[in-house]
Amino acid sequence: MTDTTGPFPAGNPLSVGAAARRHTRAAIVRWGDHKVRVGGGAPVVVQSMTNTDTADAIATAIQVKELAQAGSELVRITVNTPEAAREVPAIREQLDRMNVAVPLVGDFHYNGHKLLAQFPECAQALSKYRINPGNMGGGKKRDDNFAQMIEVACRYEKPVRIGVNWGSLDHELMARMMDDNNKRAEPWEAQAVMRDALVVSAITNARRAEELGLDPNAIVLSCKVSHVQDLITVYKDLSARCDYPLHLGLTEAGMGSKGIVASTAALAVLLQQGIGDTIRISLTPEPGGDRRREVIVAQEILQSMGLRAFTPLVVACPGCGRTSSTVFQELANDIQTFLRDQMPIWKTRYPGVETMNVAVMGCVVNGPGESRHADIGISLPGTGEIPSAPVFVDGERTVTLKGDHIAVEFQAIVEDYVERRYGSGAQKYSGRG
């Protein structure tokens, strides 16, 4: 049985630098014996979303597996057509055959009430539903459609994320709040009214779900916007007005460095204030790009802030005039890739290895010092320096590497260190850690 409801699930929270967490309810997302706890003091959960056609069960299952192996603890899939809904059970079955227990979240818009009713096997195979109340029609139609989806969630005991998005905000609610704003002695700016409407919509629909019978501990909220300052303001307000777990994400963050920087800027501020229980980095993938990138970025944000640990960190200098050789850059990249590729195996074989620090430095200025501070480090020679590379293990210089096979030899030293420190004989290890 795999259980991530305890205080130390996969990716243990670090003791240093962790921000005080906002108190929330706890929602449990499960598939079989595998459980992911969202909120209630649990570590921040990493989510991702597939971009395959869900009607293609094999392609979707393969991508879900890739995202899960990269570290995504919940994976959302689009359920937008009868063909997609029909294939959800097949996707779940394929994942089970591959021993991939990651819970699946169904993303519904416009016709979710119909699909859940028409395909009960889909409703059961999903571990959680994502509902956008702004895309469910208007007036009584919206209320009826929302009620149908909540009733299904109650029937199958599934948690729900009520996800409000400013690109599809309830027009009737927005119009009503704008009218009320115009009656104020000092009306707010339109942008401020829209931010307030997001919060009001999320909380109002959560209360409505409770009235319809949904367990208050089965509700997660989100209010997605695409501007950094708006996201920070909305979530600070939302967190002050409810105790539901919150899902963070800058919607339509963009491509490449822009998407990474914008998401990090927004989420880091909120996480440091203890706001946020799940996160997703909504990167626009490069043509043919790796979907796992959004998982890696989410993990790196949490690990850089000291909130969780997922994979050993590599410290490497930025390079300067002393490092005209690219050897240290290539070695740093190779070691980082090697460590991340090993983690699917290491995380079960070597408990605690995710907290290891590795230094790959490029010259004598900071190289030896940084290498001593790391668990294991190497200081490569800079331009004009003696062609030797001292290796430091737990602060002590142990060996000096020379020649054309430094990278291979250092990787072997790292593997040996991992086995000795974190393996079955770790209790006999006498290093400083």
Side-chain angles (χ1 to χ4, degrees), residues 205-391:
N205 282 285
R207 300 285 188 254
R208 173 63 175 151
E210 288 188 42
E211 293 171 359
L212 291 166
L214 189 63
D215 186 338
N217 293 315
I219 298 173
V220 178
L221 298 186
S222 67
C223 290
K224 294 291 197 72
V225 300
S226 55
H227 294 164
V228 171
Q229 294 297 342
D230 285 316
L231 190 81
I232 293 170
T233 300
V234 165
Y235 272 91
K236 288 176 67 175
D237 188 16
L238 180 61
S239 68
R241 294 163 68 174
C242 73
D243 64 352
Y244 299 109
L246 302 182
H247 171 74
L248 302 186
L250 191 73
T251 192
E252 292 97 32
M255 298 181 71
S257 60
K258 185 271 178 185
I260 294 172
V261 170
S263 293
T264 303
L267 270 58
V269 171
L270 293 168
L271 290 167
Q272 187 61 26
Q273 295 179 16
I275 299 170
D277 303 286
T278 73
I279 65 171
R280 186 212 168 186
I281 309 302
S282 300
L283 297 179
T284 302
E286 306 288 346
D290 192 338
R291 191 65 170 182
R292 294 173 296 180
R293 184 62 177 155
E294 66 178 50
V295 178
I296 294 171
V297 172
Q299 291 179 329
E300 289 176 343
I301 290 172
L302 294 174
Q303 188 153 354
S304 295
M305 295 183 68
L307 297 175
R308 293 189 66 180
F310 297 94
T311 189
L313 290 180
V314 174
V315 176
C317 61
C320 65
R322 291 177 177 270
T323 57
S324 57
S325 170
T326 61
V327 173
F328 89 94
Q329 300 167 3
E330 294 165 356
L331 179 56
N333 182 67
D334 289 346
I335 288 296
Q336 181 70 81
T337 301
F338 167 73
L339 294 173
R340 185 167 287 280
D341 288 346
Q342 294 304 308
M343 280 309 295
I345 300 173
W346 282 4
K347 67 184 179 182
T348 55
R349 184 178 297 174
Y350 302 118
V353 69
E354 67 275 3
T355 65
M356 182 176 70
N357 290 304
V358 180
V360 179
M361 305 302 292
C363 76
V364 299
V365 174
N366 292 317
E370 288 286 357
S371 296
R372 284 192 177 93
H373 288 309
D375 294 307
I376 183 168
I378 186 170
S379 179
L380 295 163
T383 305
E385 296 172 6
I386 298 174
S388 63
V391 175

Side-chain angles (χ1 to χ4, degrees), residues 34 46 54 135 141 146 151 158 167 170 194 283 289 417 422:
H34 182 77
V46 173
T54 308
N135 285 336
K141 179 181 178 181
F146 182 79
E151 287 167 4
K158 305 293 184 179
D170 183 341
M194 178 176 285
L283 297 179
Y417 179 81
Y422 303 100

Side-chain angles (χ1 to χ4, degrees), residues 140-187:
K140 187 177 185 303
K141 179 181 178 181
R142 178 192 60 242
D143 294 342
D144 290 345
N145 293 346
F146 182 79
Q148 288 180 46
M149 296 193 73
I150 297 301
E151 287 167 4
V152 173
C154 294
R155 184 183 313 142
Y156 297 114
E157 298 183 334
K158 305 293 184 179
V160 170
R161 171 159 71 93
I162 297 174
V164 183
N165 191 304
W166 74 348
S168 54
L169 187 58
D170 183 341
H171 296 296
E172 294 175 8
L173 172 65
M174 189 64 192
R176 185 166 64 251
M177 293 185 67
M178 281 292 188
D179 289 341
D180 292 341
N181 182 59
N182 291 333
K183 299 173 184 177
R184 288 190 173 104
E186 296 182 10

